[in-house]
Amino acid sequence: MHSLKYEAPSALGDAIALLAQASGTSRILAGGTDVIVQIETDLIEPELVVDIKKIPDLRGIAVENGAFRVGAAVTGMELMDHQAFCKAWPGVVDGVKLIGSMQIKGRATMGGNLCNASPAADSVPALIAAGAIVRIAGPNGAREVAVEHIPAGPGRTSLAKGEIIVSFAFPPRPPRTGDAYLRMTPRTEMDIAVVGVGVNIALDADGVCTAARVALGAVAPTALLVEEAGAALIGSRLDAPALDRLAQAAAAACRPIDDKRGTREYRVKVAGVLARRAALLALERARQNI
Amino acid sequence: MTRKYHVAATVNGDEYEYLCEPQQTLLDALRDELMLTGTKEGCATGDCGACTVMVDGAMICACLMLAVEADGKKIETIEGMAQGEDLHPLQRNFLELNGLQCGICTPGILIAAKVLLDRNPDPTETEVRYWLAGNLCRCTGYDKIIRSVLAAAREMRGA
């Protein structure tokens, strides 16, 4: 029987020090929807759990210089109930809405969804497409990296010992921008993505795409930013040839596994189909966002 | 020797205190320390919703929260739903329309349905089904549950 210690500091520096000085296995506790299951099923036996929910920096949704900053421990429901954020980033909210049941979203956080590092995490492709930056605090100071650089493989992140994701910084959201996230699951609800696609676009006044980011989930060991897929849309009005190029680029980027929820061939095919649909939804939203 | 943690929380308006070990869940504490056994354990992995409770206004699975985290929190469980002998309209409609068979899923479904009706007094059948997607029932086939929720919603709207 291992001995577990629980700490819930209210200062970020104390949380970092506790994690940096821990000699054995330690875990950050935010929503706990993954970590607590792992502890209760003895998948992990940490000696230290640091609950970060009492640290104010991690809890709020704020606008800074015209752009959103979302604390890493903000729950899914808090985000879904934030009208201004939902209006600015409907695609990110699409992803968050798909993280488990309403009960799960009462606790689950985007920081946890990212750090649990499942290749199928629903908010992650949407965050990558959004161009969100994570602000990290650690024993060697603060740093900022793009969301796509955090997952390092299934269940692994690029965070160093003692580092904590504090918040997600989103870019400003000018008119004629829109994002969307779609996923394929065998069931309607309460399932894990077989493929997930996030698309974020900007249009000029004539409706021509000037910027596009496309990210895929569940088709590789980590969520992928697919630059070729974004490039396929830029300069187009998201017409049929551009959507064909998008679908081809998305499918070409897939390196999926074969498992009971989807074969390799199926995932590759669906990645192209979903990329197309997500792009059209992002287009519709960008046209409405004036 | 594992350290025990002292927790003081409000449950259904009453002050409670308990000692817990750090790996105990809120569900363990409610059932084993406070003897509030209305909240059920189904899967213990957050998939079935049988242990749905409210913590500081958020609807969560009590199996996915550590008991020690509850310190200073306001918790609402199924034991707080009826006012004395007066059942909540949801409870009464579940009884009248046979919205339960074995009853294990029922407390969690009642809590979840109440949150839905607080947020949306006039949900569509589809909205009820999506909202309750995290509450599994292996007896009823869901139809009677959905009908009970919709009937309670009508009654509560006075329609």
Side-chain angles (χ1 to χ4, degrees):
Chain A
M1 175 89 194
H2 68 289
S3 172
L4 174 65
K5 198 167 148 216
Y6 169 89
E7 296 282 356
S10 53
L12 183 57
D14 292 343
I16 292 166
L18 282 163
L19 290 164
Q21 288 158 17
S23 53
T25 305
S26 58
R27 282 292 186 280
I28 294 173
L29 175 65
T33 55
D34 292 305
V35 166
I36 291 176
V37 175
Q38 291 164 7
I39 291 172
E40 299 299 326
T41 59
D42 296 328
L43 204 63
I44 56 170
E45 294 196 352
E47 68 168 34
L48 173 68
V49 163
V50 178
D51 184 345
I52 54 174
K53 291 189 292 296
K54 291 184 180 166
I55 305 171
D57 298 1
L58 279 86
R59 294 307 300 270
I61 302 171
V63 177
E64 275 178 13
N65 304 322
F68 277 102
R69 189 193 63 79
V70 178
V74 167
T75 68
M77 285 302 277
E78 287 167 349
L79 202 67
M80 287 159 62
D81 284 342
H82 194 287
Q83 289 185 2
F85 186 87
C86 291
K87 187 169 182 295
W89 295 102
V92 173
V93 177
D94 287 340
V96 168
K97 278 182 180 168
L98 292 167
I99 301 174
S101 63
M102 293 298 172
Q103 287 87 335
I104 297 295
K105 287 183 283 259
R107 288 266 289 174
T109 67
M110 290 198 300
N113 201 222
L114 179 59
C115 291
N116 187 55
S118 162
D122 281 307
S123 70
V124 176
L127 286 165
I128 293 173
I133 303 291
V134 289
R135 293 186 181 165
I136 299 165
N140 299 316
R143 63 188 180 104
E144 297 194 349
V145 298
V147 168
E148 56 267 32
H149 298 309
I150 296 297
R156 291 189 298 115
T157 72
S158 60
L159 296 174
K161 185 175 168 67
E163 284 192 321
I164 298 172
I165 294 185
V166 177
S167 62
F168 294 88
F170 289 82
R173 204 62 173 145
R176 297 188 296 275
T177 53
D179 68 332
Y181 173 79
L182 295 175
R183 73 166 184 188
M184 170 64 208
T185 56
R187 303 175 67 206
T188 312
E189 275 285 281
M190 299 288 285
D191 205 346
I192 298 168
V194 172
V195 179
V197 183
V199 176
N200 179 30
I201 62 166
L203 306 176
D204 68 14
D206 298 322
V208 175
C209 178
T210 56
R213 285 170 67 88
V214 177
L216 300 179
V219 293
T222 66
L224 301 173
L225 173 65
V226 186
E227 288 177 5
E228 300 77 11
L233 300 177
I234 295 173
S236 81
R237 292 172 191 277
L238 275 63
D239 47 15
L243 293 173
D244 285 345
R245 291 196 301 274
L246 164 74
Q248 282 164 17
C254 297
R255 291 178 275 119
I257 54 168
D258 248 335
D259 73 3
K260 63 183 177 185
R261 286 179 301 110
T263 62
R264 179 186 305 260
E265 188 184 18
Y266 180 74
R267 287 172 195 258
V268 170
K269 167 104 178 159
V270 170
V273 173
L274 278 191
R276 229 181 245 278
R277 291 181 190 169
L280 288 172
L281 182 54
L283 176 66
E284 188 185 320
R285 288 171 173 172
R287 284 176 175 162
Q288 287 164 2
N289 175 19
I290 45 175
Chain B
M1 179 78 181
T2 304
R3 180 184 153 193
K4 290 224 177 191
Y5 293 76
H6 176 260
V7 174
T10 306
V11 185
N12 303 322
D14 295 329
E15 304 289 334
Y16 283 88
E17 289 184 45
Y18 57 82
L19 290 174
C20 67
E21 295 190 356
Q23 72 276 18
Q24 271 186 295
T25 65
L26 175 61
L27 177 61
D28 296 333
L30 288 171
R31 291 182 59 83
D32 302 338
E33 308 296 334
L34 306 185
M35 302 302 161
L36 293 171
T37 53
T39 306
K40 303 305 180 194
E41 179 175 276
C43 65
T45 52
D47 295 294
C48 79
C51 65
T52 302
V53 298
M54 303 296 291
V55 177
D56 282 355
M59 180 173 89
I60 69 151
C61 291
C63 72
L64 290 187
M65 177 168 162
L66 297 178
V68 60
E69 289 182 76
D71 192 39
K73 304 278 189 208
K74 186 168 163 280
I75 296 162
E76 296 159 71
T77 70
I78 188 64
E79 285 88 350
M81 190 175 257
Q83 300 299 313
E85 295 295 307
D86 291 335
L87 295 181
H88 188 280
L90 275 163
Q91 292 172 305
R92 212 173 47 250
N93 278 281
F94 268 68
L95 284 173
E96 287 168 4
L97 299 174
N98 302 311
L100 68 152
Q101 288 182 27
C102 87
I104 291 286
C105 70
T106 313
I109 289 180
L110 288 169
I111 296 274
K114 182 171 179 295
V115 177
L116 171 64
L117 299 187
D118 287 346
R119 293 169 64 102
N120 178 2
D122 190 11
T124 65
E125 182 187 329
T126 301
E127 285 169 336
V128 176
R129 287 184 182 274
Y130 271 91
W131 186 269
L132 295 179
N135 291 89
L136 303 187
C137 170
R138 301 291 81 169
C139 300
T140 68
Y142 299 103
D143 247 32
K144 291 174 177 175
I145 293 172
I146 305 299
R147 274 185 243 158
S148 304
V149 174
L150 290 170
R154 272 194 302 277
E155 182 187 323
M156 289 164 70
R157 291 195 309 274

